[in-house]
Amino acid sequence: MTMRTELSTTNEKLAAVDRLREKHLVTPRDTQFRSYLDRLLQRDGQGNLIPAPRLYTKDGDARGIAVVEPAGGGKTSLVHHGLKTHPALQPRDAAHQPWVGVRVPSPATAKSLAIEILRASGYPTASRSNAVTEDDIMRKVRHHFKLRGTAILWIDEAHDLFGAGSRYKVDVFLKTVRNLMQGDGAVCVVLSGIESLWQIASCDAQVTRRYWRLPLADVSPHSDRKALTNVIAGFCDAVGMEPPSDEDLVDRLVHASRNRFGRCIENILAALETAALENADKLTINHFAESWGMHEGCVIGRNVFLTRRWAKIDLTENQLYGTVGQ
């Protein structure tokens, strides 16, 4: 008996979709990130990676990675999965924390970032008093990292550090993070964000010297057709449905997702949820049209999954909500 015949009710299918949302889909992007991550870490006498930064200068300077991709690509999930599952970054016990991850807080200031890092490292309390500076907090961070055996700090949405700041503020942010990568107790830093992260940060020669840029490629309906077809088929099987049979579905999906991998997965899951709510036995292009149209709020003539001239639809915000004949 196949899973498709076992999942016969709407609730069962919706629960299966939720389970899919919780899973990380492993792709060649994971291998690419892992290869960069491995180069940040030291190896022991037998060549095994260990949870300690690899130091590149006699003064003990570590290196970092800047993972750059437009919004909706799935970089946050990629980095989180890579750190969480790396064999060398598994904690030995409750007191050991090989990596720490934070998202840039709002408002984004050097002090608020320092407090967020300290909190994520497991430090009991962090004072927000004006009498306590970001330098004071970062000294505590460095000390706590040494106690916890932390080798890597990951800062997600790192472009928010530079988005609305003056050149002076950008320099302060870069110095705050750079200091953690130097000297006794240095850690490696992973930054993830949209293109502006590298466009702004790379104006500093210290950044281009210390960070390896990892740009994540767009999804292509040609080179990625087989992989996306297999994802759709696998997801459909898990939810108890037959996959769609439309020949141009992958092409429409990639265009509707702005060539972003993460958005492709989100749109597949959204279509499956729509089909599950109908207790459908087969996923169709109409389910994609309904879920995508609801998310985008566009008129029917601008729905990539409905119109014949879908490839000519401009998906920039100013163009999407106009009208076009079918």
Side-chain angles (χ1 to χ4, degrees):
M1 182 177 293
T2 66
M3 186 175 294
R4 281 194 289 271
T5 59
E6 291 172 356
L7 298 182
S8 58
T9 70
T10 294
N11 285 343
E12 287 177 328
K13 290 173 181 175
L14 288 171
V17 174
D18 287 342
R19 287 193 294 271
L20 288 172
R21 293 186 189 279
E22 295 172 358
K23 292 184 177 181
H24 177 80
L25 188 64
V26 177
T27 71
R29 294 152 51 103
D30 294 89
T31 303
Q32 185 184 15
F33 177 65
R34 171 66 185 271
S35 69
Y36 276 62
L37 191 57
D38 286 353
R39 296 183 187 186
L40 293 182
L41 300 173
Q42 289 185 33
R43 294 181 181 270
D44 62 18
Q46 289 71 48
N48 301 309
L49 292 166
I50 59 175
R54 183 180 177 189
L55 304 178
Y56 282 81
T57 69
K58 63 181 181 180
D59 296 324
D61 287 6
R63 289 288 183 266
I65 306 170
V67 183
V68 180
E69 185 181 31
K75 56 191 170 294
T76 297
S77 176
L78 171 75
V79 175
H80 181 265
H81 183 265
L83 292 170
K84 184 179 180 181
T85 60
H86 196 290
L89 299 177
Q90 303 305 304
R92 296 186 300 267
D93 50 52
H96 184 216
Q97 193 175 19
W99 65 275
V100 170
V102 299
R103 177 167 290 188
V104 173
S106 180
T109 66
K111 184 173 181 178
S112 67
L113 175 64
I115 291 173
E116 187 65 17
I117 295 172
L118 189 59
R119 183 199 62 78
S121 73
Y123 196 82
T125 58
S127 174
R128 297 179 180 271
S129 168
N130 290 333
V132 180
T133 68
E134 60 266 20
D135 289 338
D136 297 328
I137 299 170
M138 293 307 285
R139 278 192 288 270
K140 290 183 179 180
V141 167
R142 179 183 285 273
H143 177 68
H144 206 54
F145 277 177
K146 290 179 66 175
L147 291 178
R148 303 275 278 173
T150 300
I152 292 179
L153 168 65
W154 168 35
I155 303 177
D156 192 25
E157 305 292 346
H159 53 271
D160 286 341
L161 291 174
F162 316 126
S166 64
R167 185 67 240 181
Y168 171 75
K169 288 184 178 180
V170 170
D171 290 340
V172 170
F173 283 130
L174 292 174
K175 179 182 177 182
T176 298
V177 176
R178 185 168 63 240
N179 286 344
L180 289 175
M181 304 171 70
Q182 298 174 311
D184 183 37
V187 298
C188 304
V189 175
V190 177
L191 304 175
S192 54
I194 61 176
E195 299 100 318
S196 59
L197 164 64
W198 190 255
Q199 291 168 357
I200 298 173
S202 62
C203 293
D204 187 327
Q206 295 276 5
V207 171
T208 55
R209 183 172 69 85
R210 294 176 185 277
Y211 288 86
W212 300 316
R213 181 174 180 262
L214 173 56
L216 298 174
D218 289 351
V219 174
S220 165
H222 307 292
S223 60
D224 298 305
R225 183 182 307 281
K226 182 178 180 180
L228 287 172
T229 300
N230 290 338
V231 168
I232 294 171
F235 280 11
C236 284
D237 187 61
V239 180
M241 297 181 193
E242 294 181 23
S245 54
D246 307 85
E247 292 185 359
D248 63 352
L249 176 61
V250 168
D251 301 80
R252 291 175 184 259
L253 172 65
V254 171
H255 185 64
S257 304
R258 281 80 167 177
N259 297 87
R260 300 285 161 251
F261 174 75
R263 286 191 175 188
C264 285
I265 303 304
E266 289 175 2
N267 285 325
I268 296 170
L269 291 170
L272 279 168
E273 183 176 19
T274 298
L277 287 168
E278 298 176 2
N279 198 21
D281 294 323
K282 180 176 181 177
L283 181 65
T284 71
I285 198 168
N286 287 334
H287 295 127
F288 283 88
E290 181 179 343
S291 60
W292 189 82
M294 178 168 46
H295 181 267
E296 297 286 346
C298 63
V299 297
I300 292 178
R302 290 283 180 180
N303 192 309
V304 172
F305 295 99
L306 292 178
T307 181
R308 292 191 300 272
R309 295 190 292 160
W310 59 269
K312 296 185 180 298
I313 296 176
D314 185 346
L315 294 181
T316 58
E317 185 174 352
N318 292 336
Q319 298 294 326
L320 181 60
Y321 306 105
T323 57
V324 64
Q326 296 188 69

